[in-house]
Amino acid sequence: MYKILIVEDEVTIANTLKNHLEKYGYDCHTVVDFEKVLDVFQDVEPHLVIMDINLPAFDGYYWSRKIRRVSNCPIMILSARMSELDQVYGIENGADDFITKPFLMDVVLAKINGQIRRVYGEYAKKPQTRILKKGNTALNLDTVRLSTSEQEELLTVKELQLCAMLFKAFPNVVTRQQLLTAIWDDEAFVEENTLTVNIVRLRKKFEAIHSSLEITTIRGIGYQLTEKSL
């Protein structure tokens, strides 16, 4: 079941979208706290986002940019703004499509179906699979999934980059500075705990799939991917 995150502060519109799309088999989630849109996005890990522009605190352009830094999932702008400039600005800030209000539900549904087919379904490109394996665990660089024979977890873009560096360095240590430099464009502007937070999330995903691997902290240096002791 494909998941859709609806970022819309008009409750009536959000609920209308949610109820209609769920009739067609989509798993829909709505945002309540509009200061934590990115946090909700990372918790839900949706396959597509419907984004309003006029939102409390920060507008939809801001959140589209934030989401685009960690994910390539389709973003559809849904807004009462109708100017060409707004549409161009939406696309330039990471959106894949722009729908103006008032809208027809059938048009929204058709556009969502088209994006899902393009990115995940029959129209998606089928590149040669790139997989890194260690122990009982595989990291698929194309499907962005960490898996064992028992279970799999979808990764964010940053988690994928971190995981790939640790897999490729195995069993060597990767320093914090190496990770920051390789994954964040300008590490000088990354908060001190940003890397730590991403490592914690990645560890939980290793545990969730019952991996034989674990991420070990090498105090004062960085991190190391190791096999668990039996």
Side-chain angles (χ1 to χ4, degrees), residues 127-138:
Q128 289 185 341
T129 303
R130 297 174 298 153
I131 298 176
L132 303 176
K133 292 184 177 180
K134 299 294 177 188
N136 72 340
T137 307

Side-chain angles (χ1 to χ4, degrees), residues 87-124:
Q87 296 184 44
V88 170
Y89 197 57
I91 301 300
E92 288 183 345
N93 280 274
D96 297 278
D97 203 347
F98 195 107
I99 302 174
T100 57
K101 299 176 182 177
F103 55 86
L104 296 174
M105 281 302 313
D106 287 345
V107 172
V108 174
L109 179 63
K111 285 179 173 285
I112 289 173
N113 290 339
Q115 290 289 342
I116 293 294
R117 286 196 302 270
R118 179 182 64 81
V119 178
Y120 309 104
E122 60 194 275
Y123 301 149

Side-chain angles (χ1 to χ4, degrees), residues 114-189:
Q115 290 289 342
I116 293 294
R117 286 196 302 270
R118 179 182 64 81
V119 178
Y120 309 104
E122 60 194 275
Y123 301 149
K125 293 182 179 179
K126 302 295 190 295
Q128 289 185 341
T129 303
R130 297 174 298 153
I131 298 176
L132 303 176
K133 292 184 177 180
K134 299 294 177 188
N136 72 340
T137 307
L139 174 64
N140 191 313
L141 300 175
D142 296 311
T143 63
V144 198
R145 282 169 168 77
L146 187 68
S147 64
T148 61
S149 59
E150 298 180 45
Q151 207 165 347
E152 68 175 19
E153 284 283 329
L154 179 65
L155 304 180
T156 65
V157 172
K158 296 303 182 189
E159 289 169 352
L160 174 67
Q161 293 171 319
L162 288 170
C163 202
M165 287 190 71
L166 292 168
F167 263 78
K168 291 174 181 178
F170 181 91
N172 298 324
V173 177
V174 183
T175 69
R176 287 181 63 89
Q177 190 63 38
Q178 286 174 321
L179 291 169
L180 288 168
T181 301
I183 298 172
W184 282 273
D185 294 334
D186 189 347
E187 68 272 17
F189 294 96

